Amino acid sequence: MNGWRNLYFLCIFAEEHNFLHQGVSYFEKGELLLIAEGDEQVFFKFYAHYSNQIRPFLLNYTRSETDVEDIIQETFVRVWVNRDRLPGIDNIGGWIYRIASRVYLDHIERDIKHRDRKASFGEAMYGSGMVVPSERTHLNEVSHIIQVVLNNLSEQKRNIFRLNREMQMKPGQIAAELNIPVGTVKNNLSAILQEIRKALAAAGYGPLALLILMHPLTDFF
Amino acid sequence: MNQNRLTYLLKQYASGKLTSDEQQELARLLTETDREELAQYITTIAQQNDLPRIIINEERSATTFRNIMAADKPASPAIDVPWWRINFRRLSIAATLVLSFSAAIYLITRNDKKNSVAGSQVTPVKPEKPAGRNTAVLYLADNSVVELDSINNGLITTQGGSQVMLANGQLAYVAPDKKATTIAYNKITTPRGGEYSITLSDGTKVWLNAASSLKFPTAFTGKKREVELTGEAYMDVAKDQHHPFEVKIGNVNVAVHGTEFNIMGYEDENQIVTTLVSGSVAISANANAPLTLVPGEHAVVKNNNSDMIVEKADVEEETAWKNGRTYFNGANIRQIMRQIARWYDVDVQYKGDVANLDFTCTVSRKDKLSKLLGLMELTGAVHFTMEGNTIIVQP
């Protein structure tokens, strides 16, 4: 059974590798490690680089600049909650594009369904000023799910996460502050991100999240 | 899947030209085609090189980044901690009260005459207002405006190559690795009732008090590091012997190398006071020869004059605000009320013969207005009421 599973992943890996040959990663291991530990400054560089690559496509294939930013936002929230796995991902550019593509498709599908509903009720029902903020609701949902996870963390995990996110403290600094081993801090941070990813998957951000969880490029080695 | 057809439909959708039939077709296509296959195809289009080039809107990109960072930021608690619950590890409230009580008894008064207040027509209202908070407005080089609030963390924008980051109510400028080509000036202003701290691109930290402003370059490229101040600021200047740091305020110029000091130059105080905490500064008024200070001293320039008085300072009193405390040590009531007006964003009016009283007291800057005024009233020498947003001060 195990053999079959490995074979399956091997196929996906091979196919993907050929299809999305992007060459070496633009960001060095050191920078990815910093991002993995929650460094917002370095992540901004990372975000700027990749989001600017994706924007031209989105601008040409969505209806407004707001749509572009919404898709970028959701894409990079997903990247961000996977930050602890970044150093282990082989083709980061390709990985990000895959996430963006799926977010894009979901967005289009939602938008069309929403327009359909609007059309069938007739414009009169919505009036001139009433815009149903489907995209806003959607993005808020993602945030909400994450907040629920954060609210249910144990006290220690909550402290560690807070120090990391609000005070931008590195694991070493957190370990010193809380008087616990650095390894514990790192494990806890990773565990929290895992919980967030599981919650997102459970809430119906399914196929994509599962894809990330089972992504062969990291599980392979 | 017909790839060309899909591309066509998506382009129609994007330009708003989708017909009803086409919309249905697209919907069906999205539902019925394998998502994986669709995603792979989208990725191919997205990575094409022949897409029209676009100009990136940095502001919008920065806003999106802020939103991304906010997604997994733990939400701040909404509860307001009552003053008697504040933990006693730091300057305890009890100790503060004791200090204030004894200070109140200690009080120096010049005039004990109390006007008996005849029955007034309006029931006097006890003054109350919440303390000031972390808020400021940032004016960027292109004249766009960013309202700084302690809630929005992350990157604000990029200015002249420097990244402008916001973390927990502190603004930080991160200088670029290579020399910035354009010198951009930003200005940060605090309203009455606001305060903010900012780290400049050379690492200098500036705490800005209420009703103040700081104009500064986003990256220091010249021989001197120059900034312009109005109001009050506490600065911890990053050491750089080769590039002296200069603060211009009113008619005063303060030159430093690596140093901590406080400058107070509110217009309604009619004087500019520079207090040296550590390091060394040279102060010059009206471009005259500068005088050097040693730590613990301050230089006072009154009313745009060239005369400067250098004397021993009450450093604690003059820098308490930066440490989160309102502290007066034998300070005149009018000066106290001016400070209160700035931090609590209220107006002040004097009725009757309010003598020149001196007060000594200390409260946390986070305390509500009633706390501070209440302490002063305990002396019996002064009474406060409030009409609208104006505090009435009476004997």
Side-chain angles (χ1 to χ4, degrees):
Chain A
M1 272 252 281
N2 241 0
W4 277 114
R5 189 182 136 120
N6 286 338
L7 192 62
Y8 170 72
F9 284 144
L10 186 55
C11 290
I12 303 271
F13 174 69
E15 185 188 311
E16 192 153 340
H17 194 71
N18 290 331
F19 189 72
L20 295 169
H21 183 65
Q22 279 238 311
V24 211
S25 184
Y26 183 83
F27 285 87
E28 292 175 8
K29 198 60 169 272
E31 287 175 302
L32 296 178
L33 283 168
L34 283 173
I35 295 174
E37 291 176 353
D39 190 322
E40 286 186 9
Q41 273 186 318
V42 182
F43 185 65
F44 178 73
K45 262 178 67 181
F46 180 93
Y47 153 83
H49 174 77
Y50 286 110
S51 66
N52 289 343
Q53 280 184 15
I54 303 176
R55 279 201 177 86
F57 162 72
L58 290 177
L59 213 50
N60 282 289
Y61 282 83
T62 57
R63 288 179 58 96
S64 74
E65 285 177 359
T66 315
D67 292 310
V68 174
E69 293 309 309
D70 286 347
I71 293 170
I72 295 273
Q73 184 176 325
E74 188 176 334
T75 301
F76 282 89
V77 167
R78 293 182 189 227
V79 170
W80 182 239
V81 302
N82 276 280
R83 57 187 177 273
D84 59 331
R85 301 171 64 240
L86 280 178
I89 297 179
D90 190 42
N91 180 357
I92 293 197
W95 179 70
I96 296 180
Y97 265 103
R98 285 164 63 72
I99 300 176
S101 301
R102 287 175 160 270
V103 172
Y104 167 78
L105 287 166
D106 288 346
H107 170 92
I108 305 278
E109 207 171 27
R110 258 196 319 272
D111 196 31
I112 293 181
K113 279 206 188 100
H114 165 233
R115 277 165 203 286
D116 252 347
R117 231 178 307 135
K118 221 167 130 176
S120 62
F121 278 132
E123 286 299 331
M125 182 125 186
Y126 284 86
S128 54
M130 185 170 167
V131 175
V132 181
S134 63
E135 210 48 44
R136 289 289 117 217
T137 323
H138 176 74
L139 285 169
N140 289 340
E141 260 172 45
V142 174
S143 292
H144 178 72
I145 291 166
I146 298 177
Q147 288 301 324
V148 168
V149 171
L150 296 181
N151 285 338
N152 289 329
L153 292 175
S154 69
E155 170 133 8
Q156 177 177 69
K157 281 210 175 88
R158 221 199 332 262
N159 286 337
I160 292 175
F161 197 69
R162 196 177 272 276
L163 288 175
N164 180 250
R165 291 300 289 121
E166 282 188 7
M167 310 296 288
Q168 282 285 281
M169 278 188 178
K170 297 205 210 300
Q173 296 168 306
I174 299 174
E177 173 82 17
L178 297 179
N179 209 12
I180 51 179
V182 158
T184 309
V185 175
K186 289 189 183 176
N187 288 339
N188 273 319
L189 286 173
S190 244
I192 294 168
L193 290 177
Q194 266 284 37
E195 275 187 56
I196 291 177
R197 293 195 285 266
K198 268 206 328 234
L200 286 175
Y205 299 87
L208 176 57
L210 277 174
L211 183 76
I212 294 170
L213 285 174
M214 291 191 333
H215 202 278
L217 292 180
T218 54
D219 284 0
F220 195 69
F221 33 81
Chain B
M1 172 187 71
N2 186 336
Q3 292 179 347
N4 289 332
R5 183 68 186 165
L6 175 61
T7 307
Y8 164 77
L9 288 171
L10 288 175
K11 294 225 81 158
Q12 287 290 89
Y13 160 81
S15 51
K17 296 200 205 119
L18 218 48
T19 69
S20 179
D21 283 340
E22 286 175 337
Q23 180 169 305
Q24 282 190 25
E25 187 192 342
L26 179 56
R28 226 181 322 116
L29 231 162
L30 291 174
T31 326
E32 290 170 7
T33 319
D34 173 48
R35 205 49 151 215
E36 186 61 40
E37 196 187 336
L38 278 173
Q40 278 182 1
Y41 179 61
I42 296 295
T43 311
T44 329
I45 314 176
Q47 288 177 318
Q48 280 169 344
N49 285 327
D50 61 354
L51 286 163
R53 294 176 63 80
I54 62 166
I55 298 171
I56 301 292
N57 182 329
E58 300 281 4
E59 288 294 328
R60 195 171 277 136
S61 177
T63 305
T64 303
F65 184 76
R66 276 209 296 286
N67 294 339
I68 295 165
M69 289 297 94
D72 74 338
K73 270 264 181 7
S76 345
I79 33 159
D80 203 351
V81 185
W83 68 269
W84 41 268
R85 281 252 195 90
I86 296 170
N87 67 57
F88 286 90
R89 247 187 279 138
R90 313 236 181 119
L91 183 70
S92 91
I93 299 301
T96 308
L97 273 178
V98 169
L99 195 70
S100 305
F101 267 112
S102 50
I105 297 166
Y106 229 114
L107 166 79
I108 313 160
T109 59
R110 301 252 184 84
N111 190 341
D112 266 346
K113 224 194 301 183
K114 252 189 274 190
N115 289 337
S116 56
V117 182
S120 40
Q121 276 136 348
V122 183
T123 352
V125 179
K126 188 157 179 247
E128 183 59 292
K129 197 142 185 208
R133 59 193 184 92
N134 224 23
T135 177
V137 176
L138 181 66
Y139 297 89
L140 302 172
D142 61 359
N143 288 327
S144 57
V145 174
V146 181
E147 288 198 25
L148 298 169
D149 213 84
S150 51
I151 303 174
N152 290 333
N153 289 343
L155 185 112
I156 304 256
T157 179
T158 319
Q159 288 286 291
S162 291
Q163 286 175 5
V164 188
M165 300 281 302
L166 180 60
N168 262 358
Q170 281 185 35
L171 199 64
Y173 279 67
V174 182
D177 295 320
K178 31 192 212 305
K179 273 268 186 227
T181 46
T182 50
I183 301 180
Y185 284 93
N186 287 174
K187 182 171 172 187
I188 177 171
T189 62
T190 46
R192 293 210 315 185
E195 63 176 353
Y196 220 81
S197 56
I198 166 173
T199 306
L200 303 179
S201 62
D202 65 341
T204 296
K205 272 206 87 176
V206 180
W207 288 257
L208 210 57
N209 203 347
S212 307
S213 80
L214 184 77
K215 184 175 168 198
F216 57 94
T218 56
F220 294 105
T221 51
K223 203 140 197 329
K224 288 195 275 193
R225 297 176 281 165
E226 290 173 309
V227 303
E228 276 176 46
L229 175 70
T230 68
E232 181 166 24
Y234 184 101
M235 300 193 192
D236 183 355
V237 176
K239 277 190 171 55
D240 184 349
Q241 287 187 330
H242 304 290
H243 302 97
F245 193 94
E246 283 188 19
V247 185
K248 208 175 169 313
I249 173 168
N251 67 325
V252 170
N253 200 67
V254 181
V256 307
H257 284 281
T259 287
E260 274 188 57
F261 60 98
N262 193 78
I263 307 184
M264 190 290 297
Y266 288 111
E267 294 225 356
D268 58 357
E269 298 291 342
N270 287 321
Q271 59 181 8
I272 298 175
V273 181
T274 312
T275 311
L276 184 61
V277 177
S278 70
S280 124
V281 295
I283 304 163
S284 123
N286 287 336
N288 287 338
L291 289 178
T292 321
L293 293 186
V294 302
E297 289 181 334
H298 70 194
V300 181
V301 176
K302 283 200 200 289
N303 282 329
N304 291 329
N305 286 344
S306 303
D307 305 317
M308 210 189 318
I309 303 169
V310 175
E311 59 193 4
K312 198 161 186 310
D314 184 342
V315 176
E316 207 193 336
E317 188 179 16
E318 286 162 24
T319 61
W321 70 270
K322 171 246 177 191
N323 295 318
R325 286 190 8 243
T326 299
Y327 171 50
F328 301 111
N329 190 4
N332 179 272
I333 180 151
R334 281 173 170 77
Q335 187 189 9
I336 294 177
M337 293 316 294
R338 284 195 298 268
Q339 282 202 33
I340 286 178
R342 284 189 287 261
W343 179 236
Y344 290 92
D345 188 14
V346 291
D347 296 313
V348 179
Q349 237 181 66
Y350 297 88
K351 275 199 186 145
D353 195 6
V354 180
N356 254 345
L357 307 159
D358 287 352
F359 288 88
T360 298
C361 59
T362 172
V363 293
S364 157
R365 289 247 285 182
K366 289 203 173 71
D367 285 331
K368 294 201 203 158
L369 179 59
S370 53
K371 178 91 171 290
L372 179 54
L373 296 185
L375 289 173
M376 290 165 70
E377 264 184 340
L378 282 173
T379 66
V382 68
H383 293 89
F384 302 100
T385 52
M386 196 157 183
E387 274 169 32
N389 199 39
T390 305
I391 301 177
I392 315 284
V393 187
Q394 287 163 317

